[in-house]
Amino acid sequence: KDRVEAVVVPPAPGAAVVKGAVIYGLDPKAVAERMARRTYGIKCDSVFNDGFHKPEKRIFNEERHEYHALDCFKVFVNAKESISCDHTVTQEFRVGTATQPEFRLQVYSCSHRDPRHTDEDGVRPEGIVSIAAPGSGLHRSVTVTMQFGSTQVHVSATNQAGQQVKTQLRFAADTSAIRPTTGLVAFG
């Protein structure tokens, strides 16, 4: 499954790279598919799954009356996954507490597939998208869409009031600026 049947090396590899870049620059749709270089996802809490999540990540969410796992990596796309141009993935998240004032969506990446937690080796923060969580109660949610397949990852978030924020993923050089979440719970 992971074996390559043939490796083709063009006679002038440097020229082939330059030609490909020029073709892509003139018509980005000329590249129909590409392989994701990294796994991308959002840091969140999730319902604790014994045997899957690290035991030290287990906490009791008193407002939801259930055990959660902290610092989960909710995958949007996996490394080495074949993705089409303008490939989009949409997922929904809900507040962690009834009085949470905003969603702080922390985007993470890593070079391996299917990470479970954001503190695993090789996982790094890439950026934050913040959007208001109007009202109160545990029913409030945000819809997050990531668009892949171009030279950048585009992230948009829409809350239940219809407010939307969009950004292009800017890779964080100083990871100390990434603050802890204020509680974000993944659906499903």
Side-chain angles (χ1 to χ4, degrees):
K1 180 179 175 180
D2 291 334
R3 295 180 60 113
V4 175
E5 291 185 26
V7 176
V8 178
V9 179
V17 170
V18 171
K19 182 178 179 182
V22 169
I23 291 170
Y24 181 80
L26 294 172
D27 181 14
K29 300 287 184 192
V31 177
E33 283 189 357
R34 59 175 56 207
M35 296 293 265
R37 292 172 75 185
R38 300 185 62 78
T39 296
Y40 289 93
I42 299 283
K43 178 181 180 177
C44 65
D45 296 347
S46 185
V47 173
F48 187 82
N49 182 342
D50 205 12
F52 180 80
H53 294 114
K54 297 176 183 177
E56 63 271 19
K57 297 292 184 182
R58 184 177 183 228
I59 63 149
F60 188 73
N61 184 314
E62 300 213 6
E63 291 185 68
R64 293 193 180 277
H65 307 290
E66 60 190 7
Y67 286 97
H68 284 187
L70 296 174
D71 306 326
C72 293
F73 191 123
K74 184 70 171 173
V75 173
F76 278 65
V77 69
N78 267 303
K80 299 182 180 124
E81 183 177 325
S82 179
I83 53 176
S84 62
C85 187
D86 299 330
H87 176 76
T88 59
V89 178
T90 300
Q91 300 202 38
E92 191 171 13
F93 298 87
R94 56 187 172 170
V95 292
T97 65
T99 58
Q100 183 175 321
E102 71 175 349
F103 294 97
R104 290 185 48 76
L105 306 163
Q106 297 181 41
V107 180
Y108 279 76
S109 77
C110 66
S111 59
H112 60 277
R113 299 175 57 87
D114 299 316
R116 294 182 184 182
H117 296 281
T118 56
D119 61 354
E120 292 177 14
D121 286 341
V123 175
R124 69 180 188 210
E126 297 292 356
I128 297 175
V129 178
S130 294
I131 188 167
S136 63
L138 294 172
H139 66 282
R140 297 170 298 139
S141 64
V142 64
T143 301
V144 179
T145 300
M146 288 191 195
Q147 182 180 13
F148 303 92
S150 70
T151 57
Q152 296 175 325
V153 178
H154 300 270
V155 182
S156 67
T158 307
N159 65 21
Q160 288 181 306
Q163 297 167 324
Q164 186 178 57
V165 293
K166 294 181 179 183
T167 188
Q168 294 175 350
L169 207 58
R170 291 190 332 209
F171 301 105
D174 178 11
T175 58
S176 65
I178 307 295
R179 296 187 316 203
T181 60
T182 56
L184 196 62
V185 179
F187 276 111

